[in-house]
Amino acid sequence: MARIALDAMGGDHAPDMVIEGAAMAARSIANARFLLVGPETVLKEACVRYQLDESRFEIIPASQVVDMAEKPSVALRKKKDSSMVIGARLVKEGRADAFVSAGNTGALMAIARFILRTLPGIDRPAIASLMPTCIGSTLMLDLGANVDCTVEHLLQFALMGEVYAKAVMGLTGPRIGLLNIGEEEMKGNEVVRQTGERLRGNPCFAGNVEGTDLFAGRFDVVVCDGFAGNVSLKSAEGVAHMLIHFLKEAFGHSWLTRFGYLMAKPALNRFKDRVDPRRYNGAMLLGLNGIVVKSHGSADALAYRNAIEVAVNLATKRVNEKIAVEVGRQTAAALTSVPGGD
Amino acid sequence: MARIALDAMGGDHAPDMVIEGAAMAARSIANARFLLVGPETVLKEACVRYQLDESRFEIIPASQVVDMAEKPSVALRKKKDSSMVIGARLVKEGRADAFVSAGNTGALMAIARFILRTLPGIDRPAIASLMPTCIGSTLMLDLGANVDCTVEHLLQFALMGEVYAKAVMGLTGPRIGLLNIGEEEMKGNEVVRQTGERLRGNPCFAGNVEGTDLFAGRFDVVVCDGFAGNVSLKSAEGVAHMLIHFLKEAFGHSWLTRFGYLMAKPALNRFKDRVDPRRYNGAMLLGLNGIVVKSHGSADALAYRNAIEVAVNLATKRVNEKIAVEVGRQTAAALTSVPGGD
C-alpha cells in the first residue's frame, strides 16, 4: 500500500482540484492511501463534501501556504508550517512514500532538496517527465532544474532514466538518447560531445537525438541539460497551441467549414483525447532521497489524478532504491576498472 | 534589379527543382535576374525544357558538385569548381547580389565563411529564419551555426535581428526577445543572464521568451545560441509531425471518421496551407560579407521559390549594409561612452 502525501493547497485550483483528483485516484488506484496536507477545517469540510472514504484518507494539518509567486528562499525560511514543507517532511520521516504538489515549482524544488537531500552518488536532482511520441512515450530529463550541467551530471541523469525505464516502463533494454543538434558524434558543445563518448560504453545508449526525432518514438529515455530540455518541452507546447489555434480557425472560417466541423467531431474528439496534455501531467523530481512529483499548477482533477499515479508508480516500483543500487554498482565497477585499482 | 545566384546542383531534387523554383520566382518576382550555377550542358537542356526567359537567366558553368554528406573541410579543399564554391564567389566578386543553395548545410556555411568572411564587427555568422506565429512571424537566430556563444555573440545576433526586422519586416520598433527558461530576469545560465542585462539598455528589448511564447507572436526577433535554437526549432517540427500523424490516425479510424474527413476537407485544406512548412523555407546566413540563403535540402520548387524571395528581400532591402552601419554606430557610441573617452 503506497502512502501518498498531497499538498492540498498547491495549484491554481486548490484545494478542491486536489481533493477531487485524489478521489478519482482512490477509485482507480487500489494500492494507495492519501495524506491530505493543509488547513484542518478546510480539508475536513471538503472530505465530507466529496464523500471521501475515511479508510483511504487522512488529514495532516498545515497552517501555511506557499504562494505561487513566492521566492524559493523565502518559502524555505518563512513557511515552515506550510503544506509544502510538511508534505516533504512526511516523506523524510517515512510517514509517506511520496509527495505530490501542484504548487510553486522553484519552492518545491528548493524545499524538497533541502529536506530530502539527493541520493548518494547523485549530485543534482533532475526534473523528468514522460512525453508523448507517435507510438508511446519517452522519459525526458532534465526539464529545467539544472541550467548548467557537467558531463557527470548528464551521466547521472542517463542512469536515473535507465533505471526508471526498466522499473516503471518495464523495458529490459531501454534506448537512451542524448539530445543534440545532429546525429553525428562530433556535433554539439563540449559537454554533450564528452557525454556521448562516455555513454558509448553503455549498451543501452542509442546515440544522439535531434528535436525532430524526439516525438517519433525511437528513444525511451532522452537526456539533456535543463536549459535545452526546458526549451525543447516548451517549444513543443508552444507549437502545439499554435497548430490547434490554426485548426480551430480553419474550422470556423465559413458555414461550409463549420458544417465540416460537426461532421468531423468524432475524429476531432479522438484527436483531442490523444493529445490531451493532462495524460502527461506529473513531473518527477528524480535523484532525491524520497519521491516528489510536481503537477502542473493549472491542473484539473483528472490531470492531478495522473500526477498521483506517477507518484504511486515510483513508490511501488521502488525506483529510488534501484537508482541507489545502480549508482553503487557503477561506482564499484569504476573502482575496480581503475588501473591497478584491484 | 537583384542578381541572384542559384546552386543548381544543391538539394535532394536538384537540378530540376531549382530550375522549376527559379522559373516560379521569375514569374512572381519582377525585380530579379538569376544566375544558374552548375554543369553547362545539363542546365542548357533544362532551360530549354522549362522555357526560361533568356533575358532573366544566365548559366555560370561549374563542373563539380558538393555531396549532401560531404565533410565541410573536404568540400572546401577539393571542390573548388563546385556550384557551391562558384556561387559564393559570384557574390564575393560582386557579380551576384545573393546566393541560394539547397545543398549540404555544413559545407555551405564553411564555404560561405571562407570566401565571404564576416561583416566588420560581427564575429560569427548566425543562421536566421522566419518562424510562423499565431498572428504572423518571428525571426529566430541562431538556429545551429554556433553551439557555444559568448554574451558578445548573442548581442551581435540581437543587432542583426533588429536591423532585419526594421529593414525587411518594416517594423520601426521590433520587439526583441531572449530565449530563456522563464520570464524572470534571474533565470537561465550565466551567458543568457548577462546578455539580458546588456540588452536592457536597448529600447527594443522586450524580455525573456519561453518556448511556450515563441509561437504566440509577442516577439518579432528571438535571440539564442545555436544549440538552444536548433533544439527549439526541431522540437517544434517534431511535435508538429506527431500532431499531424495523430490527426490523420483519428480521421482514418472508422467509416464515420472517414466520412467526417471528406466533409472537413475544406477546413483541413485551409489548415494544411496555413502550416505548410514550404512557406517558411529559406534560412539566412546573417553576418557574412555577402548574402547567402540556405534552402531545405528536401525542398520542392515552391519551397525553393520562397527561399529565393528571402534572398531577394535581403538584397533589395540592403540588410548587410544596414548591419554594417549599425555596428559602426554602436561601436562609435561605445567609444564615446567610455569614461574619459570623449
Side-chain angles (χ1 to χ4, degrees):
Chain A
M1 184 66 83
R3 298 157 304 164
I4 313 295
L6 306 176
D7 176 359
M9 304 313 285
D12 301 341
H13 312 295
D16 276 51
M17 170 284 284
V18 174
I19 312 283
E20 211 184 320
M24 288 170 78
R27 283 193 295 275
S28 55
I29 305 170
N31 57 341
R33 285 190 73 244
F34 304 97
L35 309 172
L36 297 170
V37 188
E40 205 166 2
T41 45
V42 174
L43 295 183
K44 263 191 181 149
E45 184 274 323
C47 284
V48 173
R49 195 149 34 88
Y50 285 96
Q51 300 178 311
L52 298 186
D53 172 359
E54 276 181 37
S55 70
R56 306 277 300 277
F57 288 88
E58 185 181 338
I59 292 170
I60 308 289
S63 64
Q64 291 176 304
V65 175
V66 173
D67 298 328
M68 290 306 264
E70 199 149 32
K71 274 200 174 176
S73 54
V74 175
L76 203 53
R77 219 170 45 240
K78 300 202 166 167
K79 297 285 175 81
K80 295 197 171 142
D81 198 43
S82 63
S83 51
M84 203 180 264
V85 168
I86 302 289
R89 287 216 176 282
L90 289 172
V91 175
K92 168 78 178 171
E93 293 158 7
R95 293 169 61 197
D97 300 305
F99 177 48
V100 180
S101 174
N104 180 331
T105 309
L108 180 63
M109 183 50 109
I111 286 169
R113 245 186 116 158
F114 179 76
I115 293 177
L116 298 170
R117 307 287 168 182
T118 53
L119 284 166
I122 301 292
D123 298 322
R124 306 249 198 114
I127 299 178
S129 181
L130 285 173
M131 316 259 283
T133 71
C134 284
I135 53 172
S137 54
T138 297
L139 185 82
M140 194 161 167
L141 73 171
D142 172 32
L143 293 174
N146 309 284
V147 288
D148 290 304
C149 288
T150 63
V151 175
E152 288 304 327
H153 296 148
L154 293 178
L155 292 172
Q156 290 168 11
F157 299 167
L159 178 149
M160 295 196 289
E162 182 179 337
V163 169
Y164 177 90
K166 287 176 175 170
V168 181
M169 298 161 92
L171 302 168
T172 46
R175 298 156 303 174
I176 301 175
L178 181 64
L179 187 63
N180 205 332
I181 65 167
E183 288 185 4
E184 307 83 354
E185 290 179 12
M186 80 280 191
K187 286 274 183 181
N189 57 35
E190 196 52 35
V191 170
V192 170
R193 269 201 306 269
Q194 280 186 28
T195 306
E197 265 172 46
R198 296 274 297 274
L199 280 172
R200 255 175 282 285
N202 181 340
C204 289
F205 183 56
N208 288 341
V209 196
E210 288 190 80
T212 29
D213 297 322
L214 264 182
F215 302 92
R218 285 173 44 219
F219 297 86
D220 303 303
V221 175
V222 173
V223 174
C224 51
D225 69 52
F227 195 91
N230 193 278
V231 162
S232 170
L233 172 72
K234 287 186 179 163
S235 299
E237 277 179 32
V239 88
H241 280 142
M242 183 183 73
L243 291 179
I244 285 163
H245 170 81
F246 285 161
L247 199 58
K248 280 183 184 160
E249 230 177 45
F251 274 111
H253 177 252
S254 66
W255 69 264
L256 186 68
T257 58
R258 283 193 291 273
F259 172 73
Y261 172 73
L262 293 176
M263 295 298 107
K265 268 210 116 171
L268 291 172
N269 285 341
R270 279 188 77 81
F271 172 70
K272 211 172 135 185
D273 184 56
R274 182 79 182 263
V275 300
D276 190 344
R278 296 180 298 181
R279 291 166 64 135
Y280 292 90
N281 189 39
M284 312 159 225
L285 273 51
L286 282 186
L288 292 168
N289 206 349
I291 297 166
V292 179
V293 170
K294 168 72 177 75
S295 159
H296 234 283
S298 64
D300 67 3
L302 175 60
Y304 198 79
R305 188 218 84 91
N306 293 338
I308 292 175
E309 192 172 20
V310 170
V312 171
N313 276 332
L314 287 172
T316 55
K317 303 289 171 58
R318 312 190 78 73
V319 171
N320 279 0
E321 288 88 329
K322 288 174 184 167
I323 290 173
V325 168
E326 189 58 25
V327 170
R329 208 188 54 75
Q330 290 201 4
T331 312
L335 285 175
T336 55
S337 75
V338 170
D342 55 339
Chain B
M1 183 66 83
R3 299 157 303 165
I4 313 295
L6 306 176
D7 175 0
M9 303 314 286
D12 301 343
H13 313 294
D16 276 51
M17 169 283 284
V18 174
I19 313 282
E20 213 184 319
M24 287 171 78
R27 282 194 295 277
S28 55
I29 304 170
N31 57 341
R33 286 188 73 244
F34 304 97
L35 308 173
L36 298 169
V37 188
E40 205 166 1
T41 45
V42 174
L43 295 183
K44 266 191 179 151
E45 185 272 323
C47 284
V48 172
R49 195 149 34 90
Y50 285 96
Q51 300 177 312
L52 298 187
D53 172 0
E54 276 181 36
S55 70
R56 308 276 302 275
F57 288 89
E58 186 182 336
I59 293 170
I60 308 289
S63 64
Q64 291 177 304
V65 175
V66 173
D67 298 327
M68 290 307 264
E70 200 148 29
K71 274 200 174 173
S73 54
V74 175
L76 202 52
R77 218 169 45 240
K78 299 203 168 167
K79 296 283 176 82
K80 294 199 172 140
D81 197 44
S82 63
S83 51
M84 202 178 264
V85 168
I86 302 289
R89 286 214 179 283
L90 289 173
V91 175
K92 168 78 179 169
E93 292 158 9
R95 294 170 61 198
D97 300 306
F99 177 48
V100 180
S101 175
N104 180 329
T105 310
L108 180 63
M109 183 50 109
I111 286 170
R113 245 184 116 158
F114 179 75
I115 293 177
L116 297 170
R117 306 289 168 182
T118 52
L119 284 167
I122 300 293
D123 298 324
R124 305 246 199 118
I127 298 176
S129 183
L130 285 171
M131 316 258 285
T133 71
C134 284
I135 54 171
S137 54
T138 297
L139 186 82
M140 193 162 168
L141 74 171
D142 173 32
L143 293 173
N146 310 285
V147 289
D148 290 304
C149 287
T150 63
V151 175
E152 288 303 327
H153 296 148
L154 293 179
L155 292 172
Q156 290 168 10
F157 299 168
L159 178 149
M160 295 196 289
E162 183 179 336
V163 170
Y164 178 90
K166 287 177 174 169
V168 181
M169 298 161 93
L171 303 168
T172 46
R175 298 156 303 172
I176 301 175
L178 181 65
L179 187 64
N180 205 332
I181 64 168
E183 288 184 4
E184 307 84 354
E185 291 179 13
M186 79 279 191
K187 287 274 182 179
N189 57 37
E190 196 52 33
V191 170
V192 170
R193 269 201 306 269
Q194 280 185 27
T195 306
E197 266 172 45
R198 297 274 298 274
L199 280 173
R200 256 175 281 283
N202 181 340
C204 290
F205 183 56
N208 288 340
V209 196
E210 288 190 81
T212 29
D213 297 323
L214 263 182
F215 302 92
R218 285 174 44 220
F219 297 87
D220 304 302
V221 175
V222 173
V223 174
C224 51
D225 69 52
F227 196 91
N230 194 279
V231 162
S232 169
L233 172 73
K234 288 185 180 164
S235 299
E237 277 179 30
V239 89
H241 280 142
M242 182 183 74
L243 292 180
I244 285 163
H245 170 81
F246 285 162
L247 199 58
K248 280 184 183 161
E249 230 176 46
F251 274 111
H253 178 252
S254 67
W255 68 265
L256 185 68
T257 58
R258 282 193 290 272
F259 172 72
Y261 172 73
L262 292 177
M263 295 298 107
K265 267 211 117 171
L268 292 172
N269 285 341
R270 279 188 77 82
F271 171 70
K272 210 171 135 186
D273 184 53
R274 182 80 183 262
V275 301
D276 189 343
R278 295 180 299 180
R279 291 166 64 136
Y280 292 90
N281 188 39
M284 309 158 228
L285 274 50
L286 282 186
L288 292 169
N289 205 348
I291 297 166
V292 179
V293 170
K294 168 73 177 77
S295 158
H296 234 283
S298 64
D300 67 3
L302 175 61
Y304 198 79
R305 189 217 82 90
N306 293 338
I308 291 175
E309 193 173 19
V310 170
V312 171
N313 277 332
L314 286 172
T316 55
K317 303 288 171 60
R318 312 191 78 72
V319 170
N320 279 0
E321 288 87 329
K322 288 173 184 168
I323 291 173
V325 167
E326 189 59 27
V327 170
R329 208 188 55 73
Q330 291 202 3
T331 312
L335 285 175
T336 56
S337 75
V338 169
D342 54 340

